[in-house]
């Protein structure tokens, strides 16, 4: 294999890794506190749209990233209010978020930019050079976020309190921990990272907004969360694996070895294979997805 091919696969796999890992890390934190969400697909899509809008309005791609993070946090607040404070089912709000984004983004692209289904951004986030290749600073940010989240979750009193809310909220409550507060803000953090992931896709990696650009990454991130056994550090490995097969598919498709539709299925097939191999081995927090009502 040529050096140029190796560099291409490395660069593309790292770029493709970012949205999966950011969303996985956020989902890990949220579920460690006991709150489940399947709405990350919609959060990624909506944040990609609004992130691109904020970037163009401000003239800075970095503002687009912050805008996406903000939109994700708003979705997290909505999900948190419904599940934590109103004691609602954890799955239904996520379905609602996914359906909302699926309708909002195609309409928004048409209404705001006047194009059907897709809009190309006039600029993207700056990249730094290594050799003759450019790499996004978001790769480094993603690694730092994963490591920092792991450290806080497993090495600090704050992380201990968050995990207690997901493992035994009754005991946590008896010790004076405000379970609802920790669950709510954990949900906000999880969705905010998914929002950052979505904005990264539009204002950095792809440089465009498309009505289906999330491409199942929200669900793959949940699969990666299970693969990592709810560990932010291990989610880096799973995210990179998906990124590698995504890059491999992009490299193989133009060679027409088999129809390209089958090639582009490769990352998703590998996700199914990996998750199928760990079913029954991963152990979620005991109170994951269960509303807690103080007696």
């Amino acid at each position: 294999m040529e050096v140029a091919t190796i560099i291409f696969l490395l660069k593309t796999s790292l770029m493709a890794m970012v949205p999966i890992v950011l969303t996985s890390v956020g989902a890990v934190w949220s579920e460690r506190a006991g709150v489940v969400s399947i709405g990350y697909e919609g959060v990624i899509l909506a944040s990609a749209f609004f992130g691109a809008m904020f970037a163009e309005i401000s003239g800075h791609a970095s503002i687009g990233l912050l805008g996406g993070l903000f939109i994700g946090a708003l979705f997290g607040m909505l999900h948190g209010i419904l599940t934590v404070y109103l004691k609602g089912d954890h799955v239904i709000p996520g379905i609602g978020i996914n359906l909302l984004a699926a309708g909002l983004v195609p309409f928004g692209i048409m209404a705001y930019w006047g194009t059907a289904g897709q809009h190309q951004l006039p600029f993207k986030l700056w990249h730094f050079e290594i050799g003759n290749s450019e790499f996004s600073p978001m790769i480094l940010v993603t690694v730092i976020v994963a490591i920092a989240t792991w450290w806080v979750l497993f090495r600090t009193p704050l992380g201990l309190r968050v995990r207690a809310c997901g493992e035994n909220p009754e005991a946590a409550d008896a010790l004076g921990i405000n379970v609802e507060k920790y669950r709510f803000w954990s949900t906000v953090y999880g969705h905010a990272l998914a929002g950052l992931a979505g904005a990264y896709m539009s204002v950095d990696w792809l440089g465009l907004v498309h009505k289906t650009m999330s491409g199942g990454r929200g669900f793959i991130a949940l699969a990666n969360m299970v693969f990592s056994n709810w560990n932010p550090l291990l989610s880096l490995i799973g995210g990179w694996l998906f990124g590698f097969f995504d890059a491999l598919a992009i490299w193989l498709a133009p060679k027409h070895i088999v129809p390209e539709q089958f090639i582009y299925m490769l990352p998703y097939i590998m996700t199914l294979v990996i998750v199928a191999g760990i079913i029954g081995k991963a152990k979620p927090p005991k109170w994951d997805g269960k509303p807690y009502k103080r007696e």
Side-chain angles (χ1 to χ4, degrees):
M1 187 177 289
E2 298 179 356
V3 174
T5 301
I6 296 174
I7 293 175
F8 169 81
L9 290 175
L10 174 63
K11 174 185 174 180
T12 307
S13 62
L14 288 174
M15 296 287 281
M17 171 193 80
V18 170
I20 302 297
V21 172
L22 283 175
T23 308
S24 296
V25 169
V28 166
W29 185 284
S30 178
E31 295 208 9
R32 281 288 182 176
V35 180
V36 169
S37 174
I38 64 169
Y40 296 115
E41 182 77 6
V43 174
I44 290 173
L45 183 58
S47 297
F49 168 74
F50 284 106
M53 184 186 295
F54 293 151
E56 289 196 356
I57 291 172
S58 65
H60 298 280
S62 57
I63 299 298
L65 291 175
L66 293 176
L69 188 146
F70 174 71
I71 294 298
L74 289 181
F75 277 117
M77 290 180 182
L78 174 62
H79 189 81
I81 290 171
L82 293 174
T83 59
V84 176
Y85 290 108
L86 299 182
K87 314 303 179 185
D89 181 86
H90 287 215
V91 174
I92 294 175
I95 295 174
I97 291 173
N98 291 337
L99 293 175
L100 173 64
L104 173 65
V105 172
F107 173 78
I109 293 173
M110 177 66 75
Y112 187 76
W113 287 295
T115 57
Q118 179 174 311
H119 170 71
Q120 192 80 32
L121 272 69
F123 57 87
K124 297 198 299 183
L125 189 71
W126 65 271
H127 288 181
F128 57 87
E129 291 189 7
I130 298 179
N132 295 322
S133 296
E134 294 185 346
F135 290 83
S136 170
M138 283 299 296
I139 296 172
L140 180 59
V141 170
T142 299
V143 174
I144 292 173
V145 167
I147 294 173
T149 301
W150 171 84
W151 185 80
V152 173
L153 195 56
F154 293 104
R155 293 292 185 270
T156 69
L158 171 61
L160 180 61
R161 290 192 288 270
V162 168
R163 287 185 288 122
C165 292
E167 289 291 343
N168 194 335
E170 294 175 334
D173 196 3
L175 291 173
I177 295 173
N178 189 328
V179 175
E180 290 183 337
K181 181 181 75 172
Y182 279 96
R183 283 191 162 194
F184 176 79
W185 288 111
S186 294
T187 306
V188 173
Y189 178 67
H191 286 74
L193 287 187
L196 180 61
Y200 157 81
M201 291 187 68
S202 61
V203 306
D204 185 354
W205 182 23
L206 302 177
L208 58 84
V209 184
H210 190 274
K211 62 182 181 180
T212 59
M213 68 183 302
S214 51
R217 285 174 174 80
F219 298 112
I220 290 172
L222 289 175
N224 186 39
M225 173 192 67
V226 177
F227 166 78
S228 68
N229 201 20
W230 288 265
N231 186 316
L233 275 186
L234 292 180
S235 70
L236 278 171
I237 299 174
W240 181 83
L241 281 173
F242 175 84
F244 172 76
F245 287 112
D246 202 4
L248 189 62
I250 294 172
W251 178 66
L252 286 174
K255 299 183 181 300
H256 301 293
I257 300 173
V258 296
E260 64 179 22
Q261 290 84 355
F262 291 100
I263 296 294
Y264 286 122
M265 288 169 58
L266 181 62
Y268 304 95
I269 292 173
M270 294 309 302
T271 299
L272 290 173
V273 170
I274 292 171
V275 172
I278 61 171
I279 288 178
K281 299 178 182 178
K283 295 181 179 180
K286 292 180 181 179
W287 275 72
D288 196 16
K290 300 176 183 178
Y292 172 66
K293 297 181 181 180
R294 187 174 188 179
E295 297 297 336

